[in-house]
Amino acid sequence: GAVPRPDVRQGLPIGAYSDDQLDDLVAWIRSDGQERSRDELADELRAALGITRRSHRVDTAVRAAVVRALV
């Protein structure tokens, strides 16, 4: 069964999300069992957060969440 989407609001500034929230979203994205590259996972996390702008802060937070998930 699919994991329900975590209750994480879209469209907030990246700093408004805790590591736990980002980790929950990454786990949810990966719960379908599809193989994804780091870049694909990062893109899907951005999409799940409703983030369209790229910035150093966003990239750093997204990359960190992806790295944590793949350890």
Side-chain angles (χ1 to χ4, degrees), residues 36-46 62-63 66:
R36 290 176 178 85
S37 69
R38 282 185 175 200
D39 286 345
E40 289 169 335
L41 203 48
D43 287 345
E44 291 207 35
L45 178 56
R46 278 193 198 89
V62 165
R63 194 174 306 122
V66 168

Side-chain angles (χ1 to χ4, degrees), residues 4 6 10 22 38 46 59-60:
Q10 283 194 319
L22 298 180
R38 282 185 175 200
R46 278 193 198 89
D59 287 347
T60 301

